[in-house]
Coordinates of all heavy atoms in Angstrom, one line a residue:
M20 N 25.6 -40.5 24.4 CA 25.7 -40.0 23.0 C 26.2 -38.6 23.1 O 25.7 -37.8 23.9 CB 24.3 -40.1 22.4 CG 24.2 -39.6 21.0 SD 22.6 -40.1 20.4 CE 22.6 -39.1 19.0
R21 N 27.1 -38.3 22.3 CA 27.7 -37.0 22.2 C 27.3 -36.2 21.0 O 27.2 -36.8 19.9 CB 29.2 -37.0 22.2 CG 29.8 -37.0 23.5 CD 31.3 -37.0 23.3 NE 31.9 -36.1 24.3 CZ 33.2 -36.0 24.5 NH1 34.0 -36.7 23.8 NH2 33.6 -35.2 25.3
G22 N 27.0 -35.0 21.1 CA 26.6 -34.2 20.0 C 27.7 -33.1 19.7 O 28.4 -32.7 20.6
E23 N 27.8 -32.8 18.5 CA 28.8 -31.8 18.1 C 28.0 -30.6 17.5 O 27.0 -30.8 16.9 CB 29.7 -32.4 17.0 CG 30.6 -33.5 17.5 CD 31.6 -33.9 16.4 OE1 32.1 -33.0 15.7 OE2 31.8 -35.1 16.3
I24 N 28.6 -29.5 17.8 CA 28.0 -28.2 17.3 C 28.8 -27.8 16.1 O 30.0 -27.6 16.2 CB 28.0 -27.1 18.4 CG1 27.1 -27.5 19.5 CG2 27.5 -25.8 17.8 CD1 27.1 -26.6 20.7
F25 N 28.2 -27.7 15.0 CA 28.9 -27.3 13.8 C 28.6 -25.8 13.5 O 27.4 -25.5 13.3 CB 28.4 -28.1 12.6 CG 28.7 -29.6 12.7 CD1 27.7 -30.5 13.0 CD2 30.0 -30.1 12.5 CE1 28.0 -31.8 13.2 CE2 30.3 -31.4 12.6 CZ 29.3 -32.3 13.0
G26 N 29.5 -25.0 13.6 CA 29.3 -23.6 13.4 C 29.1 -22.9 14.7 O 28.8 -23.5 15.7
A27 N 29.1 -21.6 14.6 CA 29.0 -20.8 15.8 C 27.5 -20.5 16.1 O 26.8 -20.1 15.2 CB 29.7 -19.5 15.7
E28 N 27.1 -20.9 17.3 CA 25.7 -20.6 17.7 C 25.7 -19.2 18.2 O 26.6 -18.7 18.9 CB 25.3 -21.5 18.8 CG 23.9 -21.4 19.2 CD 23.5 -22.4 20.3 OE1 24.0 -23.5 20.3 OE2 22.6 -22.0 21.1
R29 N 24.7 -18.4 17.8 CA 24.6 -17.0 18.2 C 23.3 -16.7 18.9 O 22.3 -17.3 18.6 CB 24.8 -16.2 16.9 CG 23.7 -16.4 15.9 CD 24.0 -15.6 14.7 NE 23.0 -16.0 13.7 CZ 22.8 -15.4 12.5 NH1 23.6 -14.4 12.2 NH2 21.9 -15.9 11.7
R30 N 23.4 -15.8 19.8 CA 22.2 -15.3 20.5 C 22.2 -13.8 20.2 O 23.2 -13.1 20.6 CB 22.3 -15.6 21.9 CG 21.1 -15.2 22.7 CD 21.2 -15.7 24.1 NE 19.9 -15.5 24.8 CZ 19.0 -16.5 24.9 NH1 19.2 -17.6 24.4 NH2 17.9 -16.2 25.6
R31 N 21.2 -13.3 19.5 CA 21.1 -11.9 19.2 C 20.2 -11.2 20.1 O 19.2 -11.8 20.6 CB 20.7 -11.8 17.7 CG 21.7 -12.4 16.8 CD 21.2 -12.2 15.4 NE 20.1 -13.1 15.0 CZ 19.5 -13.1 13.9 NH1 19.9 -12.3 12.9 NH2 18.6 -14.0 13.6
F32 N 20.4 -9.9 20.3 CA 19.6 -9.0 21.1 C 18.8 -8.2 20.1 O 19.3 -7.6 19.1 CB 20.4 -8.1 22.0 CG 19.5 -7.2 22.7 CD1 18.9 -7.6 23.9 CD2 19.4 -5.9 22.3 CE1 18.1 -6.7 24.6 CE2 18.6 -5.0 23.0 CZ 17.9 -5.4 24.1
W33 N 17.5 -8.1 20.3 CA 16.6 -7.3 19.5 C 15.9 -6.2 20.3 O 15.4 -6.5 21.3 CB 15.5 -8.2 18.8 CG 16.0 -9.3 18.0 CD1 16.4 -10.5 18.3 CD2 16.2 -9.2 16.5 NE1 16.9 -11.2 17.2 CE2 16.7 -10.5 16.1 CE3 16.0 -8.2 15.6 CZ2 17.0 -10.7 14.8 CZ3 16.3 -8.5 14.3 CH2 16.8 -9.7 13.9
Y34 N 16.0 -5.0 19.8 CA 15.3 -3.9 20.5 C 13.8 -4.0 20.1 O 13.4 -4.6 19.1 CB 15.8 -2.6 20.0 CG 17.2 -2.3 20.5 CD1 18.3 -2.5 19.7 CD2 17.4 -1.8 21.8 CE1 19.6 -2.2 20.1 CE2 18.7 -1.6 22.3 CZ 19.8 -1.8 21.4 OH 21.0 -1.5 21.9
D35 N 12.9 -3.5 20.9 CA 11.5 -3.5 20.7 C 11.1 -2.9 19.3 O 10.2 -3.4 18.6 CB 10.7 -2.8 21.8 CG 10.6 -3.7 23.1 OD1 10.9 -4.9 23.0 OD2 10.3 -3.1 24.1
D36 N 11.8 -1.8 19.0 CA 11.6 -1.2 17.7 C 11.8 -2.1 16.5 O 11.1 -2.2 15.5 CB 12.4 0.1 17.5 CG 12.0 1.2 18.5 OD1 10.9 1.1 19.0 OD2 12.8 2.1 18.7
D37 N 12.9 -2.9 16.6 CA 13.3 -3.9 15.6 C 12.2 -5.0 15.5 O 11.8 -5.4 14.5 CB 14.7 -4.4 15.8 CG 15.7 -3.4 15.8 OD1 15.6 -2.4 15.0 OD2 16.7 -3.5 16.5
K38 N 11.8 -5.5 16.7 CA 10.8 -6.5 16.8 C 9.5 -6.1 16.1 O 8.9 -6.8 15.4 CB 10.6 -6.9 18.2 CG 11.7 -7.6 18.9 CD 11.3 -7.9 20.4 CE 12.5 -8.3 21.2 NZ 12.1 -8.5 22.6
L39 N 9.1 -4.8 16.5 CA 7.9 -4.3 16.0 C 7.9 -4.2 14.4 O 7.0 -4.5 13.7 CB 7.6 -2.9 16.6 CG 6.3 -2.3 16.3 CD1 5.1 -3.1 16.7 CD2 6.2 -0.9 17.0
E40 N 9.1 -3.7 13.9 CA 9.2 -3.6 12.5 C 9.1 -5.0 11.8 O 8.4 -5.1 10.7 CB 10.6 -3.0 12.1 CG 10.8 -2.7 10.7 CD 12.1 -2.1 10.4 OE1 12.6 -1.3 11.3 OE2 12.6 -2.3 9.3
I41 N 9.7 -6.0 12.4 CA 9.6 -7.3 11.8 C 8.2 -7.9 11.9 O 7.7 -8.4 10.9 CB 10.6 -8.3 12.5 CG1 12.1 -7.8 12.1 CG2 10.4 -9.7 12.1 CD1 13.1 -8.5 12.9
V42 N 7.6 -7.7 13.0 CA 6.2 -8.2 13.2 C 5.2 -7.5 12.3 O 4.4 -8.2 11.7 CB 5.7 -8.0 14.7 CG1 4.3 -8.2 14.8 CG2 6.5 -9.0 15.6
M43 N 5.4 -6.2 12.1 CA 4.5 -5.5 11.2 C 4.8 -5.8 9.7 O 3.9 -5.5 8.9 CB 4.6 -4.0 11.5 CG 4.0 -3.7 12.9 SD 3.9 -2.0 13.2 CE 2.7 -1.4 12.1
S44 N 5.9 -6.4 9.4 CA 6.2 -6.6 8.0 C 5.5 -7.9 7.5 O 5.5 -8.2 6.3 CB 7.7 -6.8 7.7 OG 8.2 -7.9 8.4
V45 N 4.9 -8.7 8.4 CA 4.1 -9.8 8.0 C 2.9 -9.3 7.3 O 2.2 -8.5 7.8 CB 3.8 -10.7 9.2 CG1 2.8 -11.8 8.8 CG2 5.0 -11.3 9.9
G46 N 2.6 -9.8 6.1 CA 1.4 -9.4 5.4 C 1.7 -8.3 4.4 O 0.9 -8.1 3.5
V47 N 2.8 -7.6 4.5 CA 3.1 -6.6 3.5 C 3.5 -7.2 2.2 O 4.4 -8.1 2.2 CB 4.3 -5.7 4.1 CG1 4.7 -4.7 3.0 CG2 3.8 -5.0 5.3
D48 N 2.9 -6.9 1.2 CA 3.1 -7.5 -0.1 C 2.9 -9.0 -0.1 O 3.5 -9.7 -0.8 CB 4.5 -7.2 -0.7 CG 4.7 -5.7 -1.0 OD1 3.7 -5.0 -1.3 OD2 5.8 -5.2 -0.9
G49 N 2.0 -9.4 0.8 CA 1.6 -10.8 0.9 C 2.7 -11.7 1.6 O 2.6 -12.9 1.5
A50 N 3.6 -11.1 2.3 CA 4.6 -11.9 3.0 C 4.1 -12.7 4.1 O 3.4 -12.1 5.0 CB 5.7 -10.9 3.5
S51 N 4.4 -14.0 4.2 CA 3.9 -14.8 5.3 C 4.9 -14.7 6.4 O 6.0 -14.2 6.3 CB 3.8 -16.3 4.8 OG 5.1 -16.8 4.5
V52 N 4.4 -15.3 7.6 CA 5.3 -15.3 8.8 C 6.6 -16.1 8.4 O 7.7 -15.7 8.8 CB 4.6 -16.0 10.0 CG1 5.5 -16.2 11.1 CG2 3.4 -15.1 10.4
T53 N 6.4 -17.2 7.7 CA 7.6 -18.0 7.3 C 8.6 -17.2 6.5 O 9.8 -17.3 6.7 CB 7.1 -19.3 6.5 OG1 6.2 -20.0 7.4 CG2 8.3 -20.1 6.1
Q54 N 8.1 -16.5 5.5 CA 9.0 -15.7 4.6 C 9.7 -14.6 5.4 O 10.9 -14.4 5.2 CB 8.2 -15.1 3.5 CG 7.6 -16.1 2.5 CD 6.6 -15.5 1.5 OE1 5.9 -14.6 1.9 NE2 6.5 -16.1 0.3
V55 N 9.0 -13.9 6.3 CA 9.6 -12.9 7.1 C 10.6 -13.5 8.0 O 11.7 -12.9 8.2 CB 8.5 -12.1 7.9 CG1 9.2 -11.1 8.9 CG2 7.6 -11.4 7.0
A56 N 10.3 -14.6 8.6 CA 11.3 -15.3 9.5 C 12.5 -15.7 8.8 O 13.7 -15.5 9.3 CB 10.6 -16.5 10.2
Q57 N 12.4 -16.2 7.6 CA 13.5 -16.6 6.8 C 14.4 -15.4 6.4 O 15.6 -15.5 6.4 CB 13.1 -17.4 5.5 CG 12.6 -18.8 5.8 CD 11.9 -19.4 4.6 OE1 11.7 -18.8 3.6 NE2 11.7 -20.7 4.7
R58 N 13.7 -14.3 6.1 CA 14.4 -13.1 5.7 C 15.3 -12.6 6.8 O 16.4 -12.1 6.5 CB 13.4 -12.1 5.3 CG 14.0 -10.8 4.7 CD 12.9 -9.8 4.3 NE 11.7 -10.4 3.6 CZ 10.5 -10.0 3.9 NH1 10.2 -9.0 4.8 NH2 9.5 -10.6 3.3
H59 N 14.8 -12.7 8.0 CA 15.6 -12.2 9.2 C 16.4 -13.3 9.9 O 16.9 -13.0 11.0 CB 14.6 -11.5 10.1 CG 14.0 -10.3 9.5 ND1 14.7 -9.1 9.4 CD2 12.8 -10.1 9.0 CE1 13.9 -8.2 8.8 NE2 12.7 -8.8 8.5
E60 N 16.4 -14.5 9.4 CA 17.1 -15.6 9.9 C 16.7 -15.9 11.4 O 17.5 -16.0 12.3 CB 18.6 -15.4 9.8 CG 19.1 -15.3 8.4 CD 20.6 -15.1 8.3 OE1 21.3 -14.9 9.3 OE2 21.1 -15.1 7.2
I61 N 15.4 -16.0 11.6 CA 14.8 -16.3 12.9 C 13.8 -17.4 12.7 O 13.4 -17.7 11.5 CB 14.2 -15.1 13.6 CG1 13.1 -14.5 12.8 CG2 15.3 -14.1 14.0 CD1 12.4 -13.3 13.5
K62 N 13.3 -18.0 13.7 CA 12.3 -19.0 13.6 C 10.9 -18.4 13.6 O 10.7 -17.3 14.2 CB 12.4 -20.0 14.8 CG 13.7 -20.8 14.7 CD 13.6 -21.9 15.7 CE 14.9 -22.7 15.7 NZ 15.0 -23.7 14.7
R63 N 9.9 -19.0 13.0 CA 8.6 -18.5 13.0 C 8.0 -18.3 14.4 O 7.4 -17.3 14.6 CB 7.6 -19.5 12.2 CG 7.8 -19.5 10.8 CD 6.8 -20.5 10.1 NE 5.7 -20.8 11.0 CZ 5.1 -22.0 11.0 NH1 5.5 -23.0 10.3 NH2 4.1 -22.2 11.8
Q64 N 8.3 -19.2 15.3 CA 7.8 -19.1 16.6 C 8.3 -17.8 17.3 O 7.6 -17.3 18.2 CB 8.3 -20.3 17.4 CG 7.7 -20.3 18.8 CD 6.2 -20.2 18.9 OE1 5.5 -20.8 18.0 NE2 5.7 -19.5 19.9
Q65 N 9.5 -17.3 16.9 CA 10.0 -16.1 17.5 C 9.1 -14.9 17.2 O 8.8 -14.1 18.0 CB 11.4 -15.8 17.0 CG 12.1 -14.7 17.6 CD 12.4 -15.0 19.1 OE1 13.1 -15.9 19.4 NE2 11.8 -14.2 20.0
I66 N 8.6 -14.9 15.9 CA 7.7 -13.8 15.5 C 6.4 -13.9 16.3 O 5.9 -12.9 16.8 CB 7.4 -13.9 14.0 CG1 8.7 -13.5 13.3 CG2 6.3 -12.9 13.7 CD1 8.6 -13.6 11.8
Y67 N 5.9 -15.1 16.5 CA 4.6 -15.2 17.3 C 4.9 -14.8 18.8 O 4.0 -14.2 19.4 CB 4.1 -16.7 17.3 CG 3.6 -17.1 15.9 CD1 4.2 -18.1 15.2 CD2 2.6 -16.4 15.3 CE1 3.8 -18.5 14.0 CE2 2.1 -16.8 14.1 CZ 2.7 -17.8 13.4 OH 2.3 -18.2 12.2
A68 N 6.0 -15.2 19.3 CA 6.4 -14.8 20.7 C 6.5 -13.3 20.8 O 6.1 -12.6 21.8 CB 7.7 -15.5 21.2
W69 N 7.2 -12.6 19.8 CA 7.3 -11.2 19.8 C 5.9 -10.5 19.7 O 5.7 -9.5 20.4 CB 8.2 -10.7 18.7 CG 9.6 -11.0 18.9 CD1 10.3 -11.4 20.0 CD2 10.7 -10.9 17.9 NE1 11.6 -11.5 19.8 CE2 11.9 -11.2 18.5 CE3 10.7 -10.6 16.5 CZ2 13.1 -11.2 17.8 CZ3 11.9 -10.6 15.9 CH2 13.1 -10.9 16.5
R70 N 5.0 -11.1 18.9 CA 3.7 -10.5 18.8 C 3.0 -10.5 20.2 O 2.5 -9.5 20.6 CB 2.8 -11.4 17.9 CG 2.9 -11.1 16.4 CD 1.9 -11.9 15.7 NE 2.0 -11.7 14.3 CZ 1.3 -12.4 13.4 NH1 0.6 -13.4 13.8 NH2 1.4 -12.2 12.1
H71 N 3.1 -11.6 20.9 CA 2.5 -11.7 22.2 C 3.1 -10.7 23.2 O 2.4 -10.0 23.9 CB 2.7 -13.2 22.7 CG 2.1 -13.4 24.1 ND1 0.8 -13.5 24.3 CD2 2.7 -13.5 25.3 CE1 0.6 -13.6 25.6 NE2 1.8 -13.7 26.2
D72 N 4.5 -10.7 23.2 CA 5.2 -9.8 24.1 C 4.9 -8.3 23.8 O 4.6 -7.5 24.7 CB 6.7 -10.0 23.9 CG 7.5 -9.2 24.9 OD1 7.1 -9.3 26.1 OD2 8.5 -8.6 24.5
L73 N 4.9 -7.9 22.5 CA 4.6 -6.5 22.1 C 3.2 -6.1 22.4 O 2.9 -5.0 22.8 CB 4.9 -6.3 20.6 CG 6.4 -6.4 20.3 CD1 6.6 -6.4 18.8 CD2 7.2 -5.2 20.9
K74 N 2.3 -7.1 22.2 CA 0.9 -6.8 22.6 C 0.7 -6.6 24.1 O 0.0 -5.7 24.5 CB 0.0 -8.0 22.1 CG -1.5 -7.7 22.2 CD -2.3 -8.9 21.6 CE -3.7 -8.7 21.8 NZ -4.5 -9.8 21.2
R75 N 1.4 -7.4 24.9 CA 1.3 -7.3 26.3 C 1.9 -6.0 26.8 O 1.4 -5.4 27.7 CB 2.1 -8.5 27.0 CG 2.0 -8.5 28.5 CD 2.8 -9.7 29.0 NE 4.2 -9.8 28.6 CZ 5.2 -9.0 29.0 NH1 5.0 -8.1 29.9 NH2 6.4 -9.2 28.5
K76 N 2.9 -5.5 26.1 CA 3.5 -4.2 26.5 C 2.7 -3.0 25.9 O 3.0 -1.9 26.2 CB 4.9 -4.1 25.9 CG 5.9 -5.0 26.6 CD 7.3 -4.9 26.0 CE 8.3 -5.8 26.6 NZ 9.6 -5.6 26.0
G77 N 1.7 -3.3 25.1 CA 0.9 -2.2 24.5 C 1.6 -1.5 23.3 O 1.2 -0.4 22.9
L78 N 2.6 -2.2 22.7 CA 3.3 -1.6 21.6 C 2.8 -2.0 20.3 O 3.1 -1.4 19.3 CB 4.8 -2.0 21.7 CG 5.5 -1.5 23.0 CD1 6.9 -2.0 23.0 CD2 5.5 0.1 23.0
W79 N 2.0 -3.1 20.2 CA 1.4 -3.6 19.0 C 0.0 -4.0 19.2 O -0.4 -4.6 20.2 CB 2.3 -4.8 18.5 CG 1.8 -5.4 17.2 CD1 2.0 -4.9 16.0 CD2 1.0 -6.6 17.1 NE1 1.4 -5.7 15.1 CE2 0.8 -6.8 15.7 CE3 0.6 -7.5 18.0 CZ2 0.1 -7.9 15.2 CZ3 -0.1 -8.6 17.5 CH2 -0.4 -8.8 16.1
S80 N -0.8 -3.8 18.2 CA -2.2 -4.2 18.2 C -2.4 -4.9 16.8 O -2.0 -4.4 15.8 CB -3.1 -3.1 18.4 OG -4.4 -3.5 18.2
P81 N -3.1 -6.0 16.8 CA -3.4 -6.7 15.5 C -4.2 -5.7 14.6 O -4.1 -5.9 13.4 CB -4.3 -7.9 15.9 CG -4.1 -8.1 17.4 CD -3.7 -6.8 17.9
D82 N -4.9 -4.8 15.1 CA -5.7 -3.9 14.2 C -4.9 -2.6 13.9 O -5.4 -1.7 13.3 CB -6.9 -3.4 14.9 CG -7.8 -4.6 15.2 OD1 -7.8 -5.6 14.4 OD2 -8.5 -4.6 16.2
A83 N -3.6 -2.5 14.3 CA -2.8 -1.3 14.1 C -2.6 -1.0 12.6 O -2.6 0.2 12.3 CB -1.4 -1.5 14.8
G84 N -2.6 -1.9 11.8 CA -2.4 -1.7 10.4 C -3.7 -1.5 9.6 O -3.7 -1.3 8.4
A85 N -4.8 -1.6 10.3 CA -6.1 -1.5 9.6 C -6.4 0.0 9.2 O -6.1 0.9 9.9 CB -7.2 -1.9 10.5
L86 N -6.9 0.1 7.9 CA -7.2 1.5 7.4 C -8.7 1.5 7.3 O -9.3 0.6 6.7 CB -6.5 1.7 6.1 CG -5.0 1.7 6.1 CD1 -4.5 1.8 4.6 CD2 -4.5 2.8 6.9
F87 N -9.3 2.6 7.7 CA -10.7 2.9 7.5 C -10.9 4.1 6.7 O -10.3 5.2 7.0 CB -11.4 3.0 8.9 CG -11.3 1.7 9.7 CD1 -10.3 1.5 10.6 CD2 -12.3 0.7 9.5 CE1 -10.2 0.4 11.4 CE2 -12.2 -0.4 10.3 CZ -11.2 -0.6 11.2
F88 N -11.7 4.0 5.7 CA -12.0 5.1 4.8 C -13.5 5.6 5.0 O -14.4 4.7 5.1 CB -11.8 4.8 3.4 CG -10.3 4.5 3.1 CD1 -9.9 3.2 3.0 CD2 -9.4 5.5 3.0 CE1 -8.6 2.9 2.7 CE2 -8.1 5.2 2.7 CZ -7.6 3.9 2.6
P89 N -13.8 6.8 5.1 CA -15.2 7.3 5.1 C -15.9 7.0 3.8 O -15.3 7.1 2.8 CB -15.1 8.8 5.4 CG -13.7 9.2 4.9 CD -12.8 8.0 5.0
V90 N -17.1 6.6 4.0 CA -17.9 6.2 2.8 C -19.2 7.0 2.9 O -19.9 7.1 3.9 CB -18.3 4.7 2.8 CG1 -19.2 4.4 1.6 CG2 -17.0 3.9 2.8
D91 N -19.5 7.7 1.8 CA -20.7 8.5 1.7 C -21.7 7.7 0.9 O -21.5 7.4 -0.3 CB -20.5 9.9 1.0 CG -19.6 10.8 1.8 OD1 -19.8 10.7 3.1 OD2 -18.8 11.6 1.2
L92 N -22.8 7.3 1.6 CA -23.9 6.6 0.9 C -25.1 7.5 0.8 O -25.4 8.2 1.7 CB -24.2 5.3 1.7 CG -23.1 4.3 2.0 CD1 -23.6 3.2 2.9 CD2 -22.7 3.7 0.6
P93 N -25.7 7.4 -0.4 CA -26.9 8.2 -0.5 C -28.0 7.7 0.4 O -28.2 6.5 0.6 CB -27.3 8.0 -2.0 CG -26.6 6.7 -2.4 CD -25.4 6.6 -1.6
V94 N -28.8 8.7 0.9 CA -29.8 8.3 1.8 C -31.0 7.9 1.0 O -31.5 8.6 0.1 CB -30.2 9.5 2.8 CG1 -31.4 9.1 3.7 CG2 -29.0 9.9 3.6
A95 N -31.6 6.7 1.3 CA -32.8 6.3 0.5 C -34.0 7.0 0.9 O -34.2 7.3 2.1 CB -32.9 4.8 0.7
Q96 N -34.8 7.4 0.0 CA -36.1 8.1 0.2 C -37.1 7.0 0.6 O -37.2 6.0 -0.1 CB -36.5 8.9 -1.0 CG -35.6 10.0 -1.4 CD -35.6 11.1 -0.4 OE1 -36.6 11.4 0.3 NE2 -34.4 11.8 -0.3
A97 N -37.9 7.3 1.6 CA -39.0 6.4 2.0 C -40.1 6.5 1.0 O -40.5 7.6 0.6 CB -39.5 6.7 3.4
V98 N -40.7 5.4 0.6 CA -41.8 5.4 -0.3 C -43.1 5.2 0.5 O -43.2 4.3 1.2 CB -41.6 4.3 -1.4 CG1 -42.8 4.2 -2.3 CG2 -40.3 4.4 -2.1
N99 N -44.0 6.2 0.4 CA -45.2 6.1 1.1 C -46.3 5.4 0.3 O -46.6 5.8 -0.8 CB -45.8 7.5 1.5 CG -44.8 8.2 2.5 OD1 -44.2 7.5 3.3 ND2 -44.8 9.5 2.4
A100 N -46.7 4.3 0.8 CA -47.8 3.5 0.1 C -49.2 4.1 0.5 O -49.4 4.2 1.7 CB -47.7 2.0 0.4
V101 N -50.0 4.4 -0.4 CA -51.3 4.9 -0.1 C -52.4 3.8 -0.1 O -52.5 2.9 -0.7 CB -51.8 6.0 -1.1 CG1 -53.1 6.5 -0.8 CG2 -50.7 7.1 -1.1

């Protein structure tokens, strides 16, 4: 059986900075992995592979986008029972 290739197959090179930008865009404004992959014309699996690779290199952390805000809570007074 013979297969035909319709259209030019391309292999693109991505810099780590570009990969990181794409990986970090998942979740922004509710964007799913599928939506981000379609936007950049790549497969979803590519994003997962980049996540793994960037994490291994120490360039990305799943908690990198987490924001923590200080919270001031009033201290409760102890009630002494007599």
Side-chain angles (χ1 to χ4, degrees):
M20 183 169 163
R21 269 184 139 171
E23 293 183 42
I24 297 175
F25 298 102
E28 186 175 330
R29 60 185 173 173
R30 185 173 188 96
R31 297 183 283 180
F32 176 81
W33 298 87
Y34 291 100
D35 285 342
D36 292 339
D37 299 328
K38 293 177 188 179
L39 187 59
E40 184 178 332
I41 292 170
V42 166
M43 291 185 69
S44 67
V45 174
V47 174
D48 294 329
S51 68
V52 173
T53 301
Q54 292 168 331
V55 172
Q57 289 172 345
R58 186 180 319 139
H59 295 283
E60 297 180 355
I61 58 177
K62 295 189 182 277
R63 286 182 19 215
Q64 184 56 36
Q65 187 66 63
I66 293 177
Y67 293 119
W69 286 348
R70 276 184 180 173
H71 178 75
D72 186 49
L73 293 168
K74 187 176 179 182
R75 185 180 50 78
K76 290 179 178 178
L78 298 174
W79 180 76
S80 171
D82 300 326
L86 297 175
F87 295 95
F88 296 101
V90 177
D91 292 326
L92 299 175
V94 178
Q96 297 291 329
V98 178
N99 293 330
V101 178

